[in-house]
Amino acid sequence: MRTFSTSDLSRKSGDIIASALQGPIAISQRGKPRLVVLSVEQYEALRQSQPDRRVSGATADMPADLAEDVAQAIDGLTTRKCI
């Protein structure tokens, strides 16, 4: 994967776009990779190859002891003071 720095974004935007159309590229900041840029086609292919495995549920559907733990955790978050 080719890497460009954040300062390259203003100086070489055309090169960066051309490279991203050929394959994913990394954008680094202070020598560390921070972003990946890829074409819409590559992004859509990536999204379709990884099914969404998230699930949702209600506390009413949980075992009672687990639902109680979740309720206590939520109460702890809402009553905690931020400093």
Side-chain angles (χ1 to χ4, degrees), residues 11-59:
R11 294 179 289 140
K12 300 179 179 180
S13 61
D15 293 341
I16 292 173
I17 291 170
S19 292
L21 290 172
Q22 295 177 3
I25 61 155
I27 304 293
S28 64
Q29 186 177 35
R30 296 184 182 102
K32 294 182 180 181
R34 298 290 183 202
L35 303 167
V36 173
V37 179
L38 58 150
S39 71
V40 171
E41 291 82 9
Q42 294 163 345
Y43 172 74
E44 291 297 334
L46 182 63
R47 279 188 63 210
Q48 291 175 5
S49 70
Q50 300 294 321
D52 188 355
R53 296 182 181 174
R54 295 177 291 179
V55 295
S56 63
T59 54

